[in-house]
Amino acid sequence: MIDCTELEFTYDGARLALRGIDLRIDAAEFVCILGGNGSGKSTLAKHLNALLLPDKGRVRVDGMDTADPANVYRIRSTAGMVFQNPDDQLVASLVEDDVAFGPENLGVPADELAQRVRDALEEVGLTGFERHETYALSGGQKQRVAIAGVLGMHPKALVLDEASAMLDPRGRSGLMRVCKELNARGMTVVMITHSMEEAAQADRVVVLDRGKVALEGPPQEVLVRADVLAGLNLEVPFSCELSRKLQERGLAVPLCVDEEKLAEAVPPLLGAPAAKEPCAPARKPEEDGARPTPKDGEARPAAIEFQGVSYAYDPPKEKRKKRGQDAGGKQAKWGNDPDAAWAVRDVSFSVAAGEFFGIAGHTGSGKSTLIQHMNGILHPTRGRVLVKGRDASDKANASAVRAEVGVVFQYPEHQLFADTVYNDVAFGPRNLRLAEDEVDARVRESLGLVGLDFDELRDKSPFELSGGQQRRVAFAGVLAMRPDVLVLDEPVAGLDPAARRDFLDLITSLHDKGLTVVMISHSMDDLASRCDRVLVLNEGAVFDLGTPEKVFSRAAELNDVGLGLPSAQRMANDLRARGVPLPEEALFDADSLAAALATLARPTVRETESAR
């Protein structure tokens, strides 16, 4: 289906983005392409449907040479592509018109066109959203519309460039289910991803490094090579990480990239826990340098407080709905109510000063709407939001509130606009009417906080920087305002594993310096490991609020609202279901779970480990 031969490409005529790639993808094959940020993944993807043409070498799609202009139309109807950012792909104001755009341009008859739109929206769980305006959708919903638009074209090959990055756990699972079903029916699937769990489900994995193929083969061969992957800014799947930790503790488990196989392999190696060797608990918050959470009843002043907040983007429409009708009535397959009147419904909670506060929820649950109330970008339709006791909706408080609460949006680099890095970071302080020497000091300080060299970058255009550097500059622009509260909307979406860890460590270091942090994330692992408390939203309302231990103990209910569990907790629950006596109240990570399982090992295994 796809044949790349000695493929080379450069954007600037100087540095090769792709360097001699030879890659063959067979019809009906499912291939995952991995690589760190800047490794050439998106550039390669754009060659697979003739959006880019090789400077050297050749690309054939279903036998057609992409360099031949006569083939472009057929190639783009053969290989459908979903981009990393859905806003780059949406073209119509209404959902159904956007999904219809591709097949309509292929000349599909009107009656068949309507059926294709219905089928595609059902595939991505957006039945009922046909007449919704695309601009008003959440980031994850937009991504699903983009996917539906490609599926409606019935391509022979589906190319997905980080298409799951903005989806919630149920959305990612749904996308994988759709891809595997289409693949089983004969469609070629090429998925670019940073998720090792997604890559583990492919037929073959291809790893790029600086524009070349560095590794290639079945997931079970490629994804276990921890040292090599780490050097490429990647990581192994959780099941492989746990396998290694168990092996280090003397358990004879195979290296597994599949969680199900590992869960099957562990129980036969375990016996009943010995009386003098109780099952090791999960790491306590105060261990390993983690921050202790406040004891029950220990009061800290509220940095932000929501009091019965509801918000509707279209209040007149809401008023036309029947009195007493619950906005959470109908639920689509991937967890959204297309008829919901309220984006946020009767939400009450507070964020304590100095807290690391997490927010989770399915796509369209109201997360981004909620945080835009925290510095007065949006004002409640009902209720109040207080920032240090001041009403954020009061115009008299607007300047103070926006100076104290800094918001970093889903794609921080989209907040960049100035001609130089210096002017971009200085924009906020200058609008506070600070003296120029104070502005200069703040720019230096904030760039240093995010790990960027002031002298090297000050005069560069932010648009000449790498994606990771752009994201850091955007962070610096918010930090230069010296906010007391930092609000982050999916700050690490789309980053490779190494860059993801760096950014999370950066956020944690800022929190350790005294900043209150509010972070939205679809990664349950990040929320469990970083946050003091987690708020879970469902259809705009509060579903749960508490410590990660409390929230992630509700496995079944979280699955019902479209969320999952941290990887270690998911594995622990699977093992409990297979009869392994792990403590119910523990919140595990990979190390604590491996230690707990080692204490349950049969005596012969423990003796072997001791002998070693």
Side-chain angles (χ1 to χ4, degrees):
M1 179 58 66
I2 295 169
D3 190 9
C4 303
T5 306
E6 298 181 357
L7 171 59
E8 290 187 1
F9 180 80
T10 176
Y11 286 100
D12 58 9
R15 188 181 68 86
L16 287 174
L18 299 177
R19 299 186 295 151
I21 285 184
D22 290 303
L23 178 65
R24 177 188 174 91
I25 298 174
D26 292 335
E29 190 177 12
F30 192 148
V31 174
C32 266
I33 298 178
L34 304 174
N37 293 122
S39 61
K41 302 185 302 298
S42 294
T43 302
L44 175 60
K46 290 172 185 174
H47 278 80
L48 304 187
N49 70 345
L51 284 173
L52 294 177
L53 300 178
D55 292 327
K56 182 180 177 183
R58 187 174 65 182
V59 177
R60 288 183 176 273
V61 177
D62 201 19
M64 297 175 285
D65 192 331
T66 61
D68 186 346
N71 292 332
V72 170
Y73 183 87
R74 286 190 298 153
I75 287 172
R76 291 182 182 165
S77 61
T78 298
M81 183 168 175
V82 181
F83 295 108
Q84 191 170 10
N85 185 349
D87 288 321
D88 294 340
Q89 193 155 359
L90 302 183
V91 296
S93 58
L94 295 179
V95 168
E96 64 179 358
D97 292 341
D98 198 274
V99 177
F101 181 81
E104 189 172 23
N105 276 276
L106 295 178
V108 174
D111 54 346
E112 183 183 345
L113 180 65
Q115 186 61 47
R116 286 199 188 190
V117 170
R118 286 193 294 270
D119 291 345
L121 287 174
E122 183 179 1
E123 288 276 26
V124 300
L126 287 180
T127 298
F129 281 78
E130 288 83 356
R131 303 297 297 173
H132 282 231
E133 294 170 313
T134 52
Y135 82 91
L137 300 177
S138 71
Q141 288 170 331
K142 287 179 180 179
Q143 189 64 285
R144 285 150 60 182
V145 172
I147 295 167
V150 172
L151 294 180
M153 296 172 66
H154 291 183
K156 289 184 178 181
L158 180 62
V159 182
L160 303 155
D161 187 3
E162 285 284 347
S164 65
M166 297 305 300
L167 299 181
D168 59 37
R170 174 163 49 195
R172 290 197 296 270
S173 176
L175 176 60
M176 286 302 296
R177 174 187 53 78
V178 169
C179 288
K180 293 180 82 170
E181 288 176 355
L182 293 171
N183 179 244
R185 298 202 295 263
M187 183 180 290
T188 304
V189 177
V190 181
M191 175 178 280
I192 293 172
T193 182
H194 285 139
S195 168
M196 300 302 110
E197 280 68 30
E198 290 176 354
Q201 300 180 56
D203 299 328
R204 183 159 53 107
V205 174
V206 177
V207 182
L208 297 187
D209 177 37
R210 290 172 290 183
K212 297 187 72 173
V213 175
L215 291 172
E216 183 178 0
Q220 184 61 41
E221 295 179 7
V222 173
L223 299 182
V224 298
R225 301 182 65 177
D227 294 342
V228 176
L229 292 175
L232 300 175
N233 291 338
L234 300 175
E235 61 189 3
V236 298
F238 170 78
S239 53
C240 184
E241 178 188 4
L242 182 60
S243 300
R244 288 187 181 277
K245 292 182 183 297
L246 291 173
Q247 288 180 352
E248 290 168 1
R249 288 169 170 81
L251 274 72
V253 297
L255 278 179
C256 296
V257 299
D258 183 88
E259 290 187 12
E260 181 75 14
K261 291 181 179 178
L262 180 59
E264 291 173 355
V266 168
L269 303 175
L270 307 180
K276 293 184 179 181
E277 289 186 278
C279 192
R283 178 178 60 82
K284 295 179 180 179
E286 63 270 20
E287 293 174 353
D288 301 328
R291 300 174 303 280
T293 56
K295 297 180 176 64
D296 291 340
E298 180 183 330
R300 288 190 293 182
I304 298 174
E305 185 175 2
F306 279 63
Q307 298 178 345
V309 171
S310 296
Y311 183 81
Y313 281 98
D314 186 2
K317 176 182 177 182
E318 185 276 327
K319 291 174 183 176
R320 291 196 299 269
K321 297 180 78 69
K322 295 179 181 179
R323 288 185 178 276
Q325 181 177 346
D326 180 20
K330 183 168 60 175
Q331 188 165 339
K333 183 164 59 175
W334 283 12
N336 299 94
D337 174 11
D339 298 324
W342 296 106
V344 172
R345 294 188 291 136
D346 194 26
V347 170
S348 297
F349 69 94
S350 63
V351 179
E355 188 172 17
F356 199 131
F357 190 88
I359 300 177
H362 59 75
T363 298
S365 63
K367 303 184 297 297
S368 296
T369 301
L370 188 76
I371 65 167
Q372 290 180 65
H373 284 77
M374 292 183 176
N375 73 342
I377 295 174
L378 297 178
H379 296 159
T381 307
R382 297 177 187 168
R384 292 198 308 165
V385 177
L386 304 180
V387 176
K388 291 188 176 179
R390 295 189 295 261
D391 191 333
S393 299
D394 189 334
K395 289 184 179 180
N397 299 328
S399 295
V401 166
R402 288 179 182 169
E404 290 173 356
V405 181
V407 177
V408 181
F409 295 104
Q410 278 181 342
Y411 293 98
E413 50 271 33
H414 291 179
Q415 294 175 232
L416 303 175
F417 63 92
D419 58 339
T420 66
V421 167
Y422 187 99
N423 288 334
D424 207 294
V425 178
F427 180 80
R430 283 172 174 163
N431 275 275
L432 295 177
R433 295 182 174 83
L434 300 176
E436 198 59 30
D437 58 345
E438 174 64 15
V439 171
D440 187 76
R442 290 200 181 193
V443 173
R444 289 176 181 272
E445 176 190 60
S446 59
L447 286 174
L449 284 172
V450 300
L452 295 177
D453 187 289
F454 173 85
D455 295 320
E456 179 186 348
L457 298 180
R458 61 167 296 164
D459 295 324
K460 286 192 174 182
S461 166
F463 305 104
E464 294 176 3
L465 306 181
S466 69
Q469 288 176 317
Q470 286 184 343
R471 192 163 292 201
R472 288 175 185 266
V473 171
F475 267 48
V478 173
L479 295 175
M481 301 284 287
R482 290 185 182 167
D484 293 325
V485 182
L486 184 62
V487 181
L488 306 155
D489 191 354
E490 288 282 356
V492 296
L495 297 182
D496 63 47
R500 181 187 193 92
R501 285 193 301 274
D502 287 347
F503 263 87
L504 289 172
D505 289 344
L506 167 62
I507 294 164
T508 300
S509 70
L510 294 171
H511 173 261
D512 290 341
K513 290 180 172 67
L515 219 59
T516 302
V517 175
V518 178
M519 182 175 77
I520 290 176
S521 180
H522 281 142
S523 169
M524 302 303 108
D525 289 274
D526 294 345
L527 294 173
S529 64
R530 307 277 174 165
C531 296
D532 299 321
R533 288 189 301 155
V534 178
L535 170 71
V536 180
L537 293 179
N538 179 38
E539 299 293 347
V542 174
F543 172 79
D544 199 3
L545 172 61
T547 63
E549 289 84 354
K550 172 183 176 293
V551 169
F552 293 122
S553 68
R554 303 178 63 183
E557 295 101 320
L558 288 174
N559 284 326
D560 288 343
V561 299
L563 301 180
L565 294 175
S567 302
Q569 205 65 13
R570 186 171 61 243
M571 175 62 73
N573 284 354
D574 194 350
L575 292 172
R576 288 190 192 103
R578 298 170 189 269
V580 178
L582 292 167
E584 294 288 341
E585 69 281 1
L587 180 63
F588 290 103
D589 58 19
D591 286 317
S592 61
L593 180 56
L597 293 171
T599 65
L600 297 173
R602 296 186 187 280
T604 52
V605 177
R606 288 198 297 270
E607 290 164 5
T608 301
E609 181 182 12
S610 178
R612 288 177 180 173

